[in-house]
Amino acid sequence: MDETLAIHGGPPVRKRPFPDWPVFGEREETYVLEALRSGKWGGSGQVKRAGFQAKLPEWERRFAQLQGAKYGVSVVNGTMAITVALQAAGVKPGDEVIIPPYTFIASASAALLFGAVPVFADVKAETMQLDPEQVKRAITPRTRAVLTVHLGGGMGDMTRLKQVADSHGLALIEDAAQAIGARWDGIGAGAWGDAGTFSFQSSKNLTAGEGGIVLTSDPELMERAWSVANVGRVLGGEWYQHERIGWNLRMTEFQAAILLAQLDRLEEQLARRHRNAMLLDRLLGEVEGVRFVHRDPRNRHGWHLYLFRLADRVTKRVSKAEWVRMVQAEGIPVSPGYFALNKHPAVMRSIRDWTGEHRAYPCPAAERLAEREAVWLGQQVLLDTEAGMEEVARAITKVNRYVLAARS
Ligand SMILES: *Cc1c(COP(=O)(O)O)cnc(C)c1O
């Protein structure tokens, strides 16, 4: 076989693209047409008419049930879902919210949008998830909430994190945008905290193009979340009765229609992603220079991302960016992942603007993951065949052999 790297003109390992996303069909068409023909497209969630079954209430009920929460409040996207959840949990401008730095920027901007201040606590290198012991160290008299992020669809030690939050009287919010279908110790992502939030943006494992939801089992928190997302109205109150300042963040019937159809495909897709991820664990386990994320048996993974780490002996020889370019040239859409938010210029500038202070939050594990070690494959790759997983492993083997031999 020609082992010349594709980036140097050799034949790529993988020649076909990975599966398209989203997957859709007749079910989506039927539900969207039903929503269209109803003539009730808006998202008050209170539409009732003879013979008309609104999609939003059914969608909210079914999604909350899937994750094991009592209530769902649909919103426009995952970022706003976090903002709404933080406000509904009582976080006010100037309050501090502890978050992990290795995540999508929205986890921080959701707080900064209304003047709440993110405080970064480091992740555990082995799991890439928020470390409950680092959370304890980050608590100050201004801390109101912990916002954990279920990175990639995995979950950190929620049992311990909940203990830490409870014992300090802090609200616990889950950014579960990547953890649809995930559980920790039998309890669903989004049902551990006071509230959990999800995103249905195009890349997510359930999607309507855009969308989000706040889940909670606390009826008062649900009412506050509903109010924040419904221009400060009161659930069951008068149309022009506004008891707080809120926004119009409502989802539409069209999105709920698509999400209901997508929901019917979820378990089968999750099972396929799981099988392929287990296969990748086995295949990559034999590849020199790859390090795994620790898997806890209490975690039923949501498989939004297949995360892994590059070993020192690889990153001593090539930068992560170079490694990613080499693997991508082989036809494998590997991603270099996130920038550490505790070093992100826009995030740190916004924190300085709100606080008037120049703050620094050293997080060596997250910084190392971001700069050198962490890479991932998206959920679409996991929807491919077993042969596809073998190609992923072969491409990484090929690149690592070259890297480890050529420059040692
Ligand atoms: C996608 C995502 C969000 C934001 O969701 P949007 O719907 O794009 O606003 C927030 N947090 C994490 C971890 C995400 O992956």
Side-chain angles (χ1 to χ4, degrees):
M1 213 191 315
D2 187 351
E3 287 296 293
T4 310
L5 294 189
I7 206 168
H8 299 149
V13 170
R14 168 89 180 188
K15 296 178 183 73
R16 295 164 295 122
F18 281 88
D20 281 336
W21 184 257
V23 176
F24 60 95
E26 252 174 58
R27 209 169 326 175
E28 280 78 2
E29 286 182 19
T30 307
Y31 291 180
V32 168
L33 271 178
E34 282 173 14
L36 178 79
R37 288 175 180 149
S38 75
K40 300 280 186 190
W41 303 339
S44 79
Q46 295 179 308
V47 192
K48 279 205 191 71
R49 197 174 64 176
F52 171 66
Q53 175 89 56
K55 305 278 188 212
L56 275 159
E58 188 191 347
W59 146 251
E60 288 170 346
R61 187 181 50 72
R62 278 189 59 194
F63 188 73
Q65 194 177 36
L66 172 78
Q67 298 298 136
K70 284 208 181 105
Y71 311 103
V73 177
S74 297
V75 292
V76 288
N77 60 47
T79 308
M80 282 299 134
I82 305 169
T83 298
V84 168
L86 290 172
Q87 294 196 3
V91 177
K92 299 256 182 323
D95 288 346
E96 291 178 354
V97 180
I98 297 175
I99 76 168
Y102 195 67
T103 175
F104 184 53
I105 191 168
S107 313
S109 42
L112 287 164
L113 274 167
F114 68 99
V117 180
V119 167
F120 295 103
D122 210 352
V123 297
K124 273 195 146 113
E126 308 79 53
T127 61
M128 304 197 196
Q129 309 286 348
L130 182 59
D131 182 346
E133 308 319 314
Q134 296 295 330
V135 168
K136 269 173 72 174
R137 296 179 48 193
I139 294 169
T140 77
R142 303 230 58 167
T143 312
R144 280 300 286 271
V146 179
L147 174 69
T148 191
V149 181
H150 304 314
L151 188 74
M155 292 171 77
D157 187 339
M158 292 306 292
T159 318
R160 177 72 186 130
L161 190 61
K162 191 161 163 47
Q163 272 173 3
V164 169
D166 286 351
S167 66
H168 291 85
L170 305 175
L172 177 61
I173 311 293
E174 298 166 71
D175 176 352
Q178 304 183 355
I180 294 160
R183 292 197 280 269
W184 175 265
D185 210 9
I187 296 175
W192 271 94
D194 297 273
T197 66
F198 293 80
S199 161
F200 310 109
Q201 170 268 354
S202 303
S203 74
K204 299 303 193 308
N205 294 24
L206 268 181
T207 180
E210 302 292 349
I213 201 168
V214 180
L215 298 187
T216 181
S217 293
D218 173 348
E220 288 170 14
L221 197 151
M222 180 274 284
E223 291 199 9
R224 286 194 297 272
W226 188 92
S227 179
V228 172
N230 281 272
V231 286
R233 290 196 176 106
V234 182
L235 191 62
E238 298 300 320
W239 190 247
Y240 289 122
Q241 182 185 348
H242 308 276
E243 301 210 339
R244 57 162 57 73
I245 296 304
W247 299 291
N248 172 3
L249 299 174
R250 296 186 293 269
M251 182 185 270
T252 69
E253 283 285 298
F254 296 112
Q255 289 160 290
I258 293 178
L259 288 167
L260 274 171
Q262 293 273 301
L263 201 52
D264 290 338
R265 304 174 191 280
L266 182 71
E267 283 303 321
E268 192 197 318
Q269 290 169 340
L270 196 56
R272 175 182 281 265
R273 292 188 188 108
H274 180 73
R275 272 198 313 277
N276 278 331
M278 293 299 99
L279 177 59
L280 272 183
D281 273 6
R282 188 154 59 71
L283 296 170
L284 293 180
E286 288 161 18
V287 180
E288 213 192 324
V290 170
R291 296 175 71 189
F292 286 110
V293 174
H294 176 69
R295 305 213 187 284
D296 192 301
R298 286 171 289 181
N299 182 201
R300 185 219 200 202
H301 208 289
W303 299 119
H304 179 63
L305 304 172
Y306 182 90
L307 294 149
F308 58 101
R309 292 159 71 193
L310 301 177
D312 282 348
R313 48 189 190 286
V314 171
T315 57
K316 268 191 198 131
R317 294 182 164 98
V318 287
S319 69
K320 178 158 74 167
E322 272 179 274
W323 188 89
V324 163
R325 275 198 298 277
M326 287 191 264
V327 176
Q328 282 177 348
E330 299 297 335
I332 310 300
V334 69
S335 164
Y338 298 128
F339 197 97
L341 296 183
N342 61 313
K343 296 280 177 183
H344 196 291
V347 171
M348 297 316 290
R349 197 184 326 121
S350 182
I351 291 175
R352 197 173 60 233
D353 288 347
W354 285 119
T355 62
E357 292 165 19
H358 204 99
R359 295 191 175 184
Y361 302 105
C363 295
E367 289 161 34
R368 198 177 162 80
L369 288 170
E371 286 158 26
R372 296 171 61 121
E373 295 183 354
V375 285
W376 71 58
L377 296 159
Q379 50 95 359
Q380 280 154 275
V381 172
L382 297 178
L383 287 177
D384 205 68
T385 58
E386 278 185 26
M389 301 309 106
E390 281 159 16
E391 287 171 322
V392 169
R394 217 181 314 136
I396 294 173
T397 306
K398 184 178 166 188
V399 167
N400 280 10
R401 273 201 192 127
Y402 169 83
V403 168
L404 293 171
R407 305 197 201 173
S408 52

